[in-house]
Amino acid sequence: MVQLAAEGKENPLVPPWPELVIGLIAFVIVFGFLAKKLLPNINKVLDERREAIEGGMEKAEAAQTEAQSVLEQYKAQLAEARHEAARLRQEATEQGTALIQEMRAEGQRQREEIIAAGHAQIEADRKAAAHSLRQDVGKLATDLAGKLVGESLEDHARQSRTIDRFLGELEEKAEAVR
């Protein structure tokens, strides 16, 4: 290079010395300015971002821990609710069974009352029918006897005795046949 410089030809790739010195001084001034003013601001911003990211990660971890805790509580409450629902179903089944048994017992009691009332009514109807039949048979027998004898059997006491004797004989014959 020195030889080229001596010949007077300058190499376009090698800058002249004064430009190189001025460029170097300008670079040191710009670098110093950047190092004093801009670099602390950049570091400050980077530190704030790092803290924000770390804080965000801590918050995210805390939120995840809290979410896990809430999930566990939810699962516990869900299990408790399922247990409670099963218990209520069991109680309802037991109450339903007890109610069915109670209703069956009440139905059986009512059926027995209805049957007893029916038997009592049948017995009352049978007695009323027997009494009515006695009176009708007695009247017919008295009328028939009066026609056969040719005189009236209007005496009530005699008529009752005759009817009772006649019906008593009929009942004895009916029992003997049985």
Side-chain angles (χ1 to χ4, degrees), residues 34-53:
L34 289 176
K36 288 282 186 186
K37 292 288 182 186
L38 200 54
L39 193 58
N41 289 338
I42 291 173
N43 284 337
K44 180 180 167 187
V45 169
L46 289 176
D47 288 341
E48 288 174 358
R49 280 190 175 176
R50 184 176 57 249
E51 289 175 8
I53 289 171

Side-chain angles (χ1 to χ4, degrees), residues 46-175:
L46 289 176
D47 288 341
E48 288 174 358
R49 280 190 175 176
R50 184 176 57 249
E51 289 175 8
I53 289 171
E54 289 174 357
M57 291 177 76
E58 290 174 1
K59 287 179 185 177
E61 288 175 6
Q64 186 176 9
T65 305
E66 183 179 348
Q68 188 67 27
S69 170
V70 169
L71 179 64
E72 293 300 322
Q73 289 176 353
Y74 171 74
K75 285 181 180 179
Q77 288 175 349
L78 185 61
E80 184 179 327
R82 284 181 180 158
H83 178 69
E84 182 69 16
R87 185 186 65 77
L88 290 175
R89 271 194 309 271
Q90 181 66 26
E91 284 181 8
T93 302
E94 291 171 359
Q95 288 176 353
T97 303
L99 186 61
I100 288 171
Q101 289 175 350
E102 185 179 308
M103 290 302 211
R104 281 184 183 163
E106 178 66 19
Q108 184 70 22
R109 185 191 60 78
Q110 288 178 355
R111 183 183 69 110
E112 289 173 2
E113 286 179 2
I114 290 171
I115 290 172
H119 285 296
Q121 183 65 36
I122 289 171
E123 184 62 27
D125 289 346
R126 188 190 66 77
K127 286 181 181 179
H131 179 68
S132 174
L133 186 60
R134 271 182 185 256
Q135 287 178 349
D136 290 343
V137 168
K139 186 171 185 322
L140 289 173
T142 305
D143 289 345
L144 182 62
K147 286 183 181 179
L148 288 176
V149 173
E151 62 182 69
S152 175
L153 298 174
E154 292 295 326
D155 183 15
H156 187 60
R158 189 176 351 149
Q159 185 180 16
S160 292
R161 283 193 309 268
T162 305
I163 292 169
D164 288 339
R165 185 174 38 89
F166 175 72
L167 290 176
E169 289 173 6
L170 282 177
E171 285 177 2
E172 287 175 9
K173 286 180 184 178
E175 287 180 16

